[in-house]
C-alpha cells in the first residue's frame, strides 16, 4: 500500500494482525523486502509494518530531504496514518539511526526499540576516498556483489536473497544513494539519546564490518544505559537476511517480555 507521509509517497508492506505492531525500518541499500524473512516468522502473532525509505524500493524519490530527521518524519507519518496505538520500532543500520531519533522523542504508543546492527548516533567519520567508495558501492551489479561478499555478509545468502539485495541496491535513487554517506551518516544525534526511555534491545552480528560490536559498545550502549545487547555468532551486517529466524526469535522474546511487563503493570494499577 502507499501512504502519503511528510509530503512523500511511502510504500508500506503489512502482514498479520494484532493490537501490537512491529514497525520495520531498513538499511542503506535495502527495502521493506529486507524484512520478509523476519516478518514471516512473526506475523502469526503480531501486525508487521515495513516501509521503504524515500528513494528506495517503491517509495517516491524527492529531489532532497534525506537527512535522519526527514526519514524519521516519514516513518512517524506512516505510524500516524495507520493509527498504531501500540508498537515496537525495529531499525536496521541506517534505519536503526532513524529509529533512535524517533524513540528519543518518546512518541505515544512506542513500547519498545530493537536496533539491528544500528548505525551509531555519533557521526561516522570517513575519509573523502572512503565516502566516495561507499557512495559508489551500489552503482553496478559487480560493485554490489563485491560489497555483499566482502563487506556486508559473513554468512552466504541463498540465490533469491542475494538477487534481492542486488536489485534493491541498484534500484535506489541517485540522491538517496548519495545522501547517506554525504549527509545522514555524518549527522550527530547523540544529544537526543538520553531521552530514550523505551525498553531497548541491540542485535549485532559478531562479524559485522560496517557497525562492529566494538563500535556499538563504545558509541551506542553508553548512551542507552538500559539497552541489552545480543551478538549473533558468525553473522555479518545483514542479519535480517543472513539469520532471519534468529533475529525473529530475539524480537519475539523481547516483545514477550515487554507484554509480560505490561500485564504486571496493569495488575499493579488495579491493586487497591
Amino acid at each position: 500500500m502507499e501512504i502519503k507521509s511528510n509530503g512523500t509517497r511511502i510504500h508500506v508492506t503489512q502482514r498479520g494482525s494484532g493490537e501490537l505492531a512491529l514497525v520495520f525500518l531498513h538499511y542503506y541499500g535495502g527495502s521493506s523486502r529486507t524484512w520478509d524473512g523476519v516478518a514471516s516468522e512473526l506475523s502469526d502473532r503480531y501486525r508487521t509494518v515495513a516501509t521503504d525509505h524515500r528513494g528506495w524500493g517503491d517509495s517516491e524519490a524527492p529531489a532532497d530531504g534525506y537527512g535522519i530527521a526527514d526519514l524519521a518524519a516519514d516513518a512517524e507519518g506512516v505510524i500516524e496514518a495507520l493509527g498504531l496505538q501500540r508498537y515496537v520500532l525495529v531499525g536496521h543500520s541506517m534505519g536503526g539511526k532513524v529509529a533512535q531519533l524517533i524513540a528519543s522523542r518518546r512518541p505515544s504508543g512506542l513500547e519498545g526499540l530493537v536496533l539491528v546492527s544500528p548505525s551509531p548516533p555519533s557521526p561516522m567519520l570517513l575519509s573523502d576516498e572512503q565516502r566516495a567508495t561507499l557512495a559508489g558501492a551500489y552503482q553496478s551489479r559487480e560493485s554490489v556483489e563485491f560489497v555483499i561478499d566482502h563487506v556486508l555478509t559473513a554468512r552466504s545468502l541463498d540465490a533469491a536473497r542475494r538477487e534481492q539485495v542486488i536489485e534493491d541496491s541498484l534500484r535506489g535513487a541517485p540522491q538517496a544513494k548519495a545522501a547517506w554517506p554525504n549527509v545522514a551518516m555524518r549527522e550527530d544525534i547523540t544529544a537526543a539519546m538520553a531521552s530514550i526511555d523505551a525498553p531497548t534491545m541491540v542485535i549485532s552480528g559478531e562479524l559485522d564490518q560496517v557497525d562492529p560490536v566494538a563500535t556499538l559498545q563504545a558509541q551506542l550502549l553508553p548512551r542507552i544505559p538500559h539497552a541489552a545487547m545480543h551478538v549473533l555468532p558468525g553473522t555479518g551486517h545483514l542479519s535480517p537476511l543472513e539469520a532471519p529466524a534468529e533475529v525473529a526469535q530475539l524480537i519475539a522474546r523481547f516483545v514477550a517480555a515487554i507484554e509480560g511487563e505490561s500485564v504486571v503493570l496493569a495488575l499493579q494499577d488495579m491493586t487497591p
Side-chain angles (χ1 to χ4, degrees), residues 137-213:
Y138 298 150
Q139 297 307 313
S140 69
R141 184 179 184 91
E142 292 72 26
S143 65
V144 176
E145 291 201 280
F146 179 88
V147 173
I148 291 173
D149 292 333
H150 298 279
V151 181
L152 292 177
T153 66
R155 301 188 192 186
S156 295
L157 302 179
D158 63 36
R161 287 195 175 111
R162 183 181 179 87
E163 190 61 32
Q164 176 185 306
V165 171
I166 294 169
E167 289 175 1
D168 284 347
S169 302
L170 293 177
R171 194 176 177 191
Q175 58 271 36
K177 292 179 183 179
W180 174 245
N182 293 306
V183 180
M185 179 186 281
R186 304 168 82 170
E187 291 185 59
D188 187 349
I189 61 168
T190 53
M193 293 304 95
S195 299
I196 296 178
D197 62 354
T200 302
M201 176 174 65
V202 180
I203 301 173
S204 179
E206 177 192 21
L207 304 178
D208 191 332
Q209 298 180 62
V210 180
D211 294 298
V213 172

Side-chain angles (χ1 to χ4, degrees), residues 216-254:
L216 300 182
Q217 288 172 333
Q219 299 294 330
L220 177 68
L221 294 182
R223 296 186 167 98
I224 313 177
H226 61 276
M229 187 175 194
H230 295 269
V231 178
L232 293 174
T235 306
H237 190 61
L238 297 189
S239 56
L241 293 156
E242 294 177 69
E246 292 163 70
V247 171
Q249 187 177 49
L250 286 172
I251 294 172
R253 286 182 193 161
F254 175 73

Side-chain angles (χ1 to χ4, degrees), residues 17 19 21 43 100 125 136 138 154 156 181 184 208 222 265 271:
S17 60
E19 185 185 347
S43 57
Q100 290 166 57
L125 302 176
Y138 298 150
S156 295
D208 191 332
L265 291 174
T271 303

Side-chain angles (χ1 to χ4, degrees), residues 98-121:
V98 175
Q100 290 166 57
L101 183 59
I102 295 172
S104 75
R105 296 169 176 169
R106 299 183 178 181
S108 173
L110 178 65
E111 299 207 354
L113 175 65
V114 179
L115 302 174
V116 183
S117 297
S119 183

Side-chain angles (χ1 to χ4, degrees), residues 24-114:
F24 295 96
L25 306 177
H26 67 79
Y27 76 103
Y28 170 69
S31 74
S32 55
R33 298 195 299 170
T34 301
W35 296 105
D36 283 354
V38 175
S40 66
E41 298 270 345
L42 297 166
S43 57
D44 60 334
R45 284 165 283 177
Y46 306 106
R47 179 181 182 181
T48 67
V49 177
T51 70
D52 291 343
H53 294 300
R54 60 172 60 198
W56 298 99
D58 288 319
S59 286
E60 190 177 354
D64 51 26
Y66 291 88
I68 295 299
D70 300 300
L71 302 182
D74 292 347
E76 289 167 336
V78 168
I79 290 166
E80 182 180 359
L82 293 176
L84 303 184
Q85 300 298 309
R86 298 177 58 222
Y87 63 95
V88 172
L89 266 180
V90 186
H92 177 213
S93 193
M94 177 178 77
K97 191 168 185 176
V98 175
Q100 290 166 57
L101 183 59
I102 295 172
S104 75
R105 296 169 176 169
R106 299 183 178 181
S108 173
L110 178 65
E111 299 207 354
L113 175 65
V114 179

